[in-house]
Amino acid sequence: MRIAITGSSGLIGTALVRSLRADGHQVVRLVRRAPRAEDEVRWDPKRQWVDSEGLVGCAAVVHLAGAGIGDRRWTDAYKKELRDSRVLGTTAVAEAVASLDVPPRVLVSASAIGFYGDTGGRVVDESAPPGDGFLADLCQEWEEATGPAQEAGVRTVFARTGLVVAAEGGAWGRLFPLFRFGLGGRMGSGRQYWSFIALDDHIAALRHILATDELVGPVNLTAPEPITNREVTAAMGRVLGRPTLLSVPAPALRLALGELSSDVLGSVRAVPRRLLDSGFSFTHPKIEQALRAALEARAAGRR
């Protein structure tokens, strides 16, 4: 297939491009600068513009682009950047898809389990309503921005992603060095649930969504059994062979991170009901499996 991808230089995008090309698919990468290669197409999310000619012949579009949730404190200015990078960018992609004489069969648009807000110990699947707070509101707007593609009859999927376990990026890319030097530990009470997913499983899940016509709407990309931050801390210690005696009190996190601390201290116990019901099988369903796979991939230089 010919598949267009935004955010192709990020953690997930890089791995997805590599996986698709390894199987012979033609990948078109949307870039914000002037194209430098035949596989690049220009777009400008802030201006809500895409060179739609570059999407002609694409069977699928995977939209992953967006400013990093945990990259900076959530000042008013950065919250606007987070929103604009997602809502404006998604609108641009959806409108470009809808404008084509022959649109792609499927649009997979990134979202996040932040849609559910803080669920405490309550298990949620894709049927759960949206929660409260900045992230929940952002995710709703993000998903609604795909409207033009849906109205054009394109199968549209919201990939609600959990915490991706990888050694070279994302949240775990920051955790691994801390724990390796014995500086890792429980955050807050440690009772908050973290819904994780191994990077390999995340890529496999995206490809499963592309190939599974009955999947429409929200799909949780998380491992089957979310675990608490306390359990994550213990697993990191076992895998890395390091002590995990330190802890960071909730007030200190709030002081250091501001409103972003709500994402670290919040609990989202999301399960991938729709993935499992559609026949998807996880390779690394347990946290220790996911951690070891991430470290092995890093050591082998695969990523």
Side-chain angles (χ1 to χ4, degrees):
M1 291 193 296
R2 177 177 167 89
I3 302 170
I5 300 177
T6 73
S8 62
S9 62
L11 173 68
I12 294 169
T14 299
L16 180 60
V17 169
R18 182 183 298 115
S19 174
L20 290 169
R21 285 180 171 165
D23 286 341
H25 296 291
Q26 181 184 1
V27 176
V28 175
R29 298 179 296 123
L30 273 67
V31 297
R32 294 176 176 84
R33 48 169 173 74
R36 299 172 185 163
E38 292 183 356
D39 67 342
E40 294 182 345
V41 171
R42 191 166 190 176
W43 78 311
D44 188 336
K46 290 185 178 180
R47 288 175 48 217
Q48 295 182 262
W49 173 82
V50 177
D51 182 1
S52 56
E53 289 187 7
L55 302 183
V56 172
C58 286
V61 174
V62 182
H63 175 45
L64 302 172
I69 291 291
D71 287 358
R72 290 163 50 188
R73 287 176 67 95
W74 288 355
T75 62
D76 288 345
Y78 194 60
K79 286 164 74 171
K80 183 179 186 302
E81 183 176 341
L82 290 173
R83 180 194 176 279
D84 288 352
S85 70
R86 285 162 173 75
V87 178
L88 298 183
T90 302
T91 299
V93 170
E95 289 180 344
V97 163
S99 73
L100 298 174
D101 292 335
V102 181
R105 297 198 302 268
V106 58
L107 167 63
V108 179
S109 187
S111 185
I113 57 171
F115 176 91
Y116 305 108
D118 189 336
T119 70
R122 175 171 56 93
V123 176
V124 292
D125 62 21
E126 293 88 348
S127 66
D132 298 317
F134 171 70
L135 277 183
D137 292 345
L138 175 59
C139 288
Q140 290 179 74
E141 288 189 79
W142 195 1
E143 294 180 5
E144 289 169 359
T146 63
Q150 296 182 65
E151 292 166 9
V154 176
R155 176 169 70 92
T156 303
V157 180
F158 314 128
R160 292 179 180 166
T161 300
L163 293 168
V164 178
V165 183
E168 70 280 19
W172 250 279
R174 301 176 185 179
L175 289 178
F176 273 118
L178 289 174
F179 278 84
R180 188 174 285 112
F181 287 105
L183 300 176
R186 173 175 52 83
M187 298 182 186
S189 70
R191 293 191 295 270
Q192 68 271 31
Y193 277 89
W194 282 17
S195 298
F196 70 93
I197 184 169
L199 179 57
D200 287 344
D201 282 333
H202 192 286
I203 300 306
L206 287 174
R207 296 195 56 175
H208 176 79
I209 289 169
L210 290 173
T212 307
D213 290 341
E214 61 265 31
L215 287 175
V216 179
V219 178
N220 290 343
L221 271 62
T222 60
E225 297 179 14
I227 59 175
T228 65
N229 173 257
R230 188 184 298 272
E231 292 171 314
V232 168
T233 300
M236 290 285 282
R238 289 192 298 271
V239 169
L240 294 173
R242 295 291 188 272
T244 56
L245 301 177
L246 300 177
S247 64
V248 184
L253 281 171
R254 294 190 184 99
L255 181 63
L257 302 178
E259 190 177 352
L260 173 59
S261 64
S262 63
D263 190 40
V264 176
L265 297 170
S267 180
V268 186
R269 195 176 182 182
V271 295
R273 178 182 61 82
R274 299 197 66 204
L275 269 182
L276 295 172
D277 287 351
S278 65
F280 182 76
S281 179
F282 286 82
T283 302
H284 310 296
K286 303 293 185 182
I287 186 61
E288 287 201 23
Q289 295 173 330
L291 294 172
R292 295 186 189 282
L295 292 173
E296 288 169 5
R298 182 68 174 268
R302 281 203 293 124
R303 305 187 187 122

